[in-house]
Amino acid sequence: MNFEILDGARRILQTLNNAGYEAYLVGGCVRDLLRGVEPHDWDICTSALPEETERCFADRRVIETGLKHGTVTVLEEGQPYEITTYRTEGPYSDSRRPDFVCFVPNLEEDLARRDFTMNAIAMDLQGNLQDPFGGVDDIKAGLIRCVGEPGHRFQEDGLRVMRALRFAAVFGYEIEEQTAQAVHENRAMLDRVAAERINAELCKLLVGKGAGNALRQYPDVFCQFWPQLGPLVTLEQNNPWHCWGGWEHTIHAVEGAPTDVTLRLAMLLHDIGKPACKSTDENGIDHFYGHPAVSAQLAEQMLRALKFDNKTRERVVLLVEHHDAQLPPRSQVIRRWLNRLGPEAFFQLLEVKRADNMGQTLEKVRGRLAELEEIRDKAEQILAEDQCLALKDLAVDGRDVMAAGIAPGPAVGQVLEGLLERVLSGEIPNERDALLNWIAHYKNSGQKQDAN
Ligand code: ATP
Ligand code: MG
C-alpha cells in the first residue's frame, strides 16, 4: 500500500473505539488505498448511533446535514469526515435516495447495501480488512461486480448502471460477466434517474482511460439517455477517408482527444448529424454534406436534455459546428479565426481537428496532422507578437475616427470594422499613421459618393 491512513481519520476511528464503538474506514477510500491511489475523501462507518457519534465529538465542529440518513460530518483540521451509522436502505422510489434508512447492528449488513464488491470493504485502525464479498480479489483482477444479485441491485437504483460504466472507464477495469449482462438488461432504469446525476457520471467516465471501451461495449446504455446516438452507432460510411463506421470512428476520436470534458463531449457528438446527412454517389461513395451544422443542432438538444451548464454546452456546440472547417495554415486565415473564436476556443478547435483525424485512415491524414501543428505554431506566434485580432487591439479607436471627421454614430463602428478587416487580411499594417491615412481616404471617397 503506497498511502497511509490520514491522521485525521485515524483520530476519528480512535475516538469512536475509545468510547466503545466499532468504527471502520469504508467505501471509496479503502478501495483507493488498495489500488495504490490516494483517497480523495475518507468515509467512516460505525456501530454508534448518530447522537452517540455527536456526543463523541462534542468538542469538535459537527455538521448535521446528513443526520436523517445517519451521517454526522466532523471537521478535523478543516477536513470534513462523514461518519455514518451502520445502516440498510429502504426502496428508492425516485432512484435518487432511499425513501428511508434503517440502522443495523452489524457491519456486514451495511456492506451488503453497497453497490460493488470493491466499494464494500471496511478497514479498521490497524489496517485489518473486512471483505465479505471478495472485493479485494476483484480489485486485484480489475473487476467490477455487484454485491448480491446484479439485476436486483440495478433495479433498486438505476444510477448504479452508470456508476458501473464510470468506474470501469476511470480505473480501466472490466465489468464482470453477470454484472455486465445485468447492466444491459436494466439500462432502462436510467429513465428514472435525474439528468444531473447521469451527467456527473458521464463527465467522469468520458475523461477515464477506458472511456473508449465503455462506449464500445455499452452503446445501448448511452443510447438510453441519448437516443440520438442510435443512428450513429449503426452508421456505415463507405468513404476512402474512413476505415471505420460512424461509432468506431467516434470512439477513436474520443480516445484521441485530451482528457478534458469539453473536448471529449465535442468528439462524442461531432458526427451525430451524419446519419441524417448521408448520401451515396454513383460510385457508391458515401457523403455527409452539411453534417456539422446538423450535428451542432443535435448536440445542443442533447446537452440541454442532460442539463449541462451553459458554458460547456455553448463551447461544445461551437466546436462541433466548426469541426470540419477548412483551415489552411496561412497567417491571414489564422488571424481571422483567432478573432472569431478567441484564442481558447481556437486552440480547442485544433485539438478537435487533431482528434477527428486520429479516427480516420492514418496514412491519409498524416499531412493534415502536420498542418495542424503548423497552424498551432503560427497562432502562438501571432499571439506572442501581439498582432491585432480584435477592435480593441487596433492602433486607433473611436475617438480617432471621430477626430478624423466621421460623424458620431454607427458610421464610427463601421469604419473600425473596415479597418480591422483590412488589418486581419494584411492589407494595411496595424499602425496609427497607416490607419489614419486609410480613414482620411475612406472619408474623401465617401463624401464624393455623397456628393453624387
Ligand atoms: P468516488 O468518491 O471515488 O467517486 P466512491 O465509491 O467513494 O467513489 P461515493 O459516491 O463517494 O463513491 O460513495 C461512497 C460509497 O457509498 C461507495 O463506495 C459505496 O460503498 C456507496 N455507494 C455510493 N453510491 C451508491 C449507490 N448508488 N448504491 C449503493 N452504494 C453506493
Ligand atoms: Mg467517495
Side-chain angles (χ1 to χ4, degrees):
M1 212 182 299
N2 303 329
F3 292 93
E4 292 289 319
I5 301 176
L6 217 62
D7 281 344
R10 213 175 262 291
R11 278 195 293 275
I12 289 176
L13 293 178
Q14 191 70 65
T15 304
L16 286 161
N17 287 166
N18 289 348
Y21 302 109
E22 295 174 16
Y24 295 88
L25 295 170
V26 71
C29 63
V30 178
R31 177 200 68 215
D32 288 346
L33 284 171
L34 294 168
R35 290 169 58 233
V37 170
E38 189 170 8
H40 59 87
D41 49 22
W42 297 80
D43 293 337
I44 290 161
C45 64
T46 180
S47 59
L49 291 169
E51 50 280 17
E52 294 173 328
T53 302
E54 282 192 299
R55 241 175 279 139
C56 288
F57 297 98
D59 58 337
R60 269 17 93 109
R61 260 200 71 199
V62 168
I63 305 166
E64 297 187 333
T65 43
L67 222 50
K68 241 182 38 203
H69 292 98
T71 302
V72 174
T73 303
V74 171
L75 282 178
E76 180 77 31
E77 288 173 355
Q79 162 115 1
Y81 294 89
E82 291 196 352
I83 306 171
T84 305
T85 305
Y86 297 158
R87 61 180 172 90
T88 56
E89 298 179 339
Y92 281 67
S93 52
D94 65 351
S95 283
R96 296 185 71 135
R97 58 181 77 84
D99 297 341
F100 55 86
V101 302
C102 294
F103 299 133
V104 293
N106 70 71
L107 173 67
E108 183 159 339
E109 274 188 74
D110 181 274
L111 294 176
R113 73 167 162 96
R114 296 172 183 271
D115 47 5
F116 306 114
T117 58
M118 62 178 183
N119 290 341
I121 309 171
M123 183 189 280
D124 69 12
L125 199 51
Q126 286 72 40
N128 301 315
L129 298 177
Q130 299 289 329
D131 178 25
F133 305 105
V136 173
D137 287 343
D138 283 337
I139 290 174
K140 282 191 191 133
L143 278 180
I144 292 165
R145 185 196 308 269
C146 282
V147 172
E149 205 274 299
H152 179 66
R153 301 314 307 281
F154 291 125
Q155 280 153 32
E156 280 174 349
D157 176 10
L159 185 70
R160 292 174 188 156
V161 168
M162 278 306 279
R163 279 174 63 89
L165 265 55
R166 185 256 287 191
F167 286 125
V170 173
F171 301 163
Y173 284 10
E174 286 296 319
I175 302 179
E176 175 279 328
E177 205 180 313
Q178 283 175 21
T179 299
Q181 194 187 332
V183 162
H184 289 296
E185 287 170 3
N186 292 284
R187 61 185 187 274
M189 288 300 297
L190 282 173
D191 297 353
R192 302 196 203 169
V193 179
E196 292 84 351
R197 304 185 81 204
I198 297 179
N199 177 322
E201 296 297 331
L202 177 66
C203 289
K204 290 183 196 163
L205 184 164
L206 281 177
V207 297
K209 57 184 168 206
N213 277 339
L215 292 165
R216 199 171 274 122
Q217 293 171 21
Y218 300 92
D220 52 339
V221 173
F222 295 89
C223 289
Q224 190 68 36
F225 56 85
W226 271 349
Q228 297 92 333
L229 288 171
L232 182 66
V233 171
T234 53
L235 177 73
E236 290 177 19
Q237 35 185 10
N238 180 22
N239 179 305
W241 290 99
H242 282 288
C243 43
W244 292 298
W247 190 234
E248 193 55 32
H249 162 68
T250 295
I251 290 168
H252 275 82
V254 169
E255 290 173 327
T259 50
D260 168 271
V261 173
T262 300
L263 293 173
R264 294 213 151 179
L265 280 168
M267 297 333 292
L268 180 59
L269 302 178
H270 77 288
D271 277 348
I272 189 78
K274 264 190 173 179
C277 297
K278 180 170 171 173
S279 62
T280 306
D281 69 18
E282 60 275 16
N283 301 318
I285 305 292
D286 295 330
H287 299 280
F288 305 94
Y289 298 118
H291 80 273
V294 179
S295 294
Q297 249 175 22
L298 280 168
E300 163 95 29
Q301 268 178 29
M302 294 163 78
L303 295 165
R304 274 188 194 280
L306 221 52
K307 305 267 166 65
F308 273 90
D309 61 279
N310 293 345
K311 186 164 170 261
T312 305
R313 189 191 72 239
E314 285 164 15
R315 182 56 58 85
V316 171
V317 169
L318 181 86
L319 294 170
V320 169
E321 186 183 340
H322 296 302
H323 80 267
D324 220 16
Q326 291 291 322
L327 212 57
R330 289 203 305 274
S331 297
Q332 260 188 45
V333 180
I334 297 168
R335 272 198 296 270
R336 260 175 222 286
W337 277 96
L338 276 168
N339 169 244
R340 190 162 162 198
L341 303 183
E344 188 190 66
F346 178 78
F347 285 111
Q348 285 179 320
L349 182 63
L350 295 184
E351 295 287 1
V352 164
K353 287 181 137 318
R354 207 185 71 85
D356 193 9
N357 279 305
M358 300 301 282
Q360 296 176 19
T361 313
L362 214 54
E363 53 287 9
K364 294 228 177 220
V365 298
R366 279 224 171 82
R368 281 201 203 165
L369 289 172
E371 212 171 80
L372 286 170
E373 291 295 315
E374 194 185 334
I375 294 173
R376 186 195 320 275
D377 290 347
K378 284 197 164 139
E380 272 163 5
Q381 195 186 341
I382 289 170
L383 292 171
E385 290 170 359
D386 214 9
Q387 294 185 26
C388 175
L389 297 170
L391 288 179
K392 66 173 172 45
D393 304 323
L394 281 174
V396 295
D397 62 15
R399 268 173 312 211
D400 298 314
V401 175
M402 289 184 279
I406 306 286
V412 176
Q414 282 162 17
V415 169
L416 288 171
E417 290 285 352
L419 284 171
L420 179 61
E421 188 62 22
R422 282 161 181 83
V423 169
L424 286 174
S425 71
E427 194 184 312
I428 39 178
N430 186 26
E431 289 161 11
R432 201 173 155 75
D433 286 347
L435 299 177
L436 291 174
N437 241 332
W438 187 86
I439 300 172
H441 179 78
Y442 168 89
K443 187 171 157 264
N444 288 335
S445 61
Q447 275 168 349
K448 253 180 263 150
Q449 269 171 17
D450 287 347
N452 290 338

